[in-house]
Amino acid sequence: FDSLKDRLLSDLVIMRIFEPSSKLRTLKLLDRYFGIKYAQRTLYRVLPKLIIHKEKAEAIATSFAKRHLQSDLSFVLYDVTTLYFETFETDDLRKPGFSKDNKPAQPQIVLGLLVNLDGFPLRYEVFAGNTFEGKTMLPLLRSFRDIHKAGTCSVVADAAMLSLQNVDELKKERFAYIVGARIANLSPEVADTIAEALKERRDGESIRIPTPHGDLISAFSSLRYRKDKTDMEKQIARAKRLVAAKESGKRAKIVASSGETYMLNNKLIAKTTRLLGIKGYYTNIPQNKMSDKEVIAHYGNLWRVEQSFRMSKSDLVARPVFHHKEDSIKAHLVICFIALALGKYLELKSGFSLRRIIDLLKQVQDARVVNTRTKEEILLR
């Protein structure tokens, strides 16, 4: 990222990794720890202009992934998150919406992120806070493919990204996809077919069924079975308490009602029981090109983009966002994107978490002695 030739950007990125804080505190920490001084007015004047580095920063990250991380871009992982603001003021970008931060009353933005199979960031896009996440994937995929000439590109994403419209667009533009399927929402006929095929409950056993969304691959896992069974038992126990109290409860799907009478939804319980331990995946990749096992393994990498979001939110404190003007908000995200790329590379090469790396670095003791006449600086360790 040195080729961006922007000293302020470089310093803000390093401080975002070293000790993330507000921009004003960052200036104080730069002076305290490193003797680097910036005027407050310089920061506020220059900060919005940092958005000019977005496209080049993404190009640098993608080129680096290809050269040094052996990423051929044939598979990318995609997910979205939300970043909230410590304000209740809204505008065209900052809007209330479905919050992944449990801040439904506060305005937010939606952030879409593409990473490679190692979780290294390649490209991102910002959307208004009330944007449905299913509408964010295609615009970002198109721009990524066109800018980086990725050719045949396969994307892995979670179930929220799938709709018949998205499937049609993905097929039309020759994108391959592996997307999570919501087994609970399947028709009774399809659910029965899957349950019957996997009734032996053998680990790794799968079935592939053609559907309008693509091939539906369903597979059984004993680990998932134990988790699903525990979750269902908790739901049933809660439902029984609600029925006894003659209440419907919020999001209590297995509580049915008839007038003012509440009862357990035994039909839904039976369907859920038959599908315990079964996870679904939609794909348009033919079985002769990728086996069910390989499709499932690729989907399993999706945790890496979720990990990148956790790093950006926790280690890099990308939110809450305190800026109000759109250019400053987007400049903040340029800083976070570059910091995420640097932090992820440090993790991949060291085997340590970013937080562990910073903790170790802060244990290093040194002193800088400056000759005020010659301006020569000597570092003592």
Side-chain angles (χ1 to χ4, degrees):
F1 293 106
D2 287 348
S3 62
L4 296 175
K5 300 185 186 308
D6 192 313
R7 178 64 185 274
L8 175 61
L9 175 62
S10 176
D11 289 336
L12 291 176
V13 166
I14 291 171
M15 291 307 297
R16 178 61 46 179
I17 297 173
F18 176 70
E19 190 170 326
S21 57
S22 69
K23 300 300 185 295
L24 288 181
R25 177 164 169 77
T26 295
L27 296 188
K28 294 178 181 178
L29 296 177
L30 275 168
D31 186 12
R32 178 188 305 171
Y33 290 121
F34 304 107
I36 300 172
K37 298 181 184 293
Y38 289 101
Q40 181 177 331
R41 62 179 178 275
T42 300
L43 174 68
Y44 285 122
R45 176 174 55 83
V46 176
L47 181 65
K49 300 177 182 178
L50 297 183
I51 59 175
I52 64 173
H53 297 301
K54 177 182 184 293
E55 295 292 339
K56 190 172 181 181
E58 291 172 329
I60 290 170
T62 302
S63 177
F64 185 88
K66 291 167 69 175
R67 291 197 320 270
H68 299 285
L69 300 176
Q70 290 74 51
S71 179
D72 63 2
L73 308 184
S74 61
F75 261 96
V76 291
L77 311 174
Y78 180 75
D79 205 352
V80 302
T81 193
T82 56
L83 303 176
Y84 70 92
F85 293 77
E86 287 289 7
T87 180
F88 291 98
E89 296 180 9
T90 64
D91 52 37
D92 290 341
L93 183 64
R94 301 177 299 161
K95 293 179 178 292
F98 177 74
S99 174
K100 295 178 182 288
D101 297 310
N102 295 316
K103 300 281 186 177
Q106 291 173 257
Q108 63 180 18
I109 55 176
V110 175
L111 180 68
L113 178 67
L114 274 181
V115 305
N116 73 352
L117 293 181
D118 292 314
F120 186 83
L122 304 171
R123 186 171 179 82
Y124 72 96
E125 197 54 74
V126 183
F127 303 89
N130 62 347
T131 305
F132 170 57
E133 59 187 88
K135 294 182 178 180
T136 65
M137 182 172 69
L138 278 164
L140 204 153
L141 273 178
R142 288 191 194 103
S143 62
F144 176 78
R145 179 193 58 191
D146 295 344
I147 290 172
H148 301 295
K149 297 179 174 57
T152 302
C153 188
S154 302
V155 62
V156 182
D158 70 14
M161 302 302 154
L162 196 67
S163 67
L164 285 175
Q165 182 180 351
N166 274 0
V167 167
D168 290 341
E169 289 293 327
L170 286 165
K171 290 178 179 177
K172 180 181 177 181
E173 303 203 28
R174 297 183 179 179
F175 285 112
Y177 60 86
I178 298 172
V179 183
R182 292 191 172 102
I183 293 291
N185 294 341
L186 296 175
S187 68
E189 294 77 18
V190 175
D192 287 343
T193 299
I194 294 170
E196 182 63 25
L198 303 179
K199 64 182 180 181
E200 298 298 327
R201 301 187 188 275
R202 289 192 289 261
D203 261 322
E205 188 175 21
S206 64
I207 178 177
R208 185 183 286 235
I209 303 171
T211 77
H213 289 88
D215 286 351
L216 171 61
I217 298 171
S218 303
F220 177 82
S221 163
S222 57
L223 286 175
R224 175 174 289 277
Y225 176 83
R226 288 193 290 271
K227 179 183 182 302
D228 289 350
K229 188 171 184 293
T230 299
D231 291 344
M232 188 187 71
E233 288 170 350
K234 289 179 180 178
Q235 291 176 355
I236 292 175
R238 177 172 178 257
K240 287 180 177 179
R241 291 195 296 270
L242 291 170
V243 169
K246 299 182 179 181
E247 297 177 6
S248 61
K250 291 183 178 179
R251 300 179 183 176
K253 294 181 180 179
I254 56 176
V255 175
S257 63
S258 177
E260 296 184 359
T261 303
Y262 298 100
M263 65 204 77
L264 292 180
N265 189 336
N266 291 314
K267 189 175 180 180
L268 180 57
I269 292 173
K271 177 185 176 182
T272 303
T273 301
R274 294 194 72 194
L275 296 174
L276 290 177
I278 299 173
K279 169 69 178 173
Y281 316 84
Y282 286 114
T283 185
N284 63 342
I285 304 174
Q287 193 167 14
N288 59 4
K289 290 187 176 180
M290 186 174 290
S291 68
D292 294 358
K293 188 175 181 180
E294 289 172 318
V295 169
I296 295 167
H298 276 298
Y299 185 85
N301 284 318
L302 200 56
W303 67 271
R304 295 185 183 277
V305 66
E306 295 166 354
Q307 182 191 51
S308 292
F309 278 139
R310 285 195 296 272
M311 182 192 294
S312 63
K313 288 186 173 185
S314 300
D315 296 338
L316 303 177
V317 196
R319 57 90 170 98
V321 184
F322 294 98
H323 301 291
H324 302 288
K325 295 183 178 179
E326 184 170 328
D327 284 354
S328 295
I329 293 167
K330 291 183 176 180
H332 170 71
L333 294 174
V334 171
I335 294 167
C336 290
F337 174 81
I338 299 175
L340 177 60
L342 294 175
K344 192 64 188 177
Y345 181 69
L346 287 170
E347 288 193 343
L348 289 172
K349 288 302 178 181
S350 70
F352 293 130
S353 69
L354 181 59
R355 184 167 297 178
R356 175 62 175 155
I357 292 169
I358 298 305
D359 286 345
L360 289 171
L361 288 175
K362 286 184 177 181
Q363 295 175 22
V364 176
Q365 300 294 320
D366 62 42
R368 291 177 292 114
V369 179
V370 180
N371 185 318
T372 57
R373 184 173 62 83
T374 66
K375 304 302 181 184
E376 179 186 7
E377 184 174 300
I378 300 172
L379 183 65
L380 302 178
R381 294 187 183 278

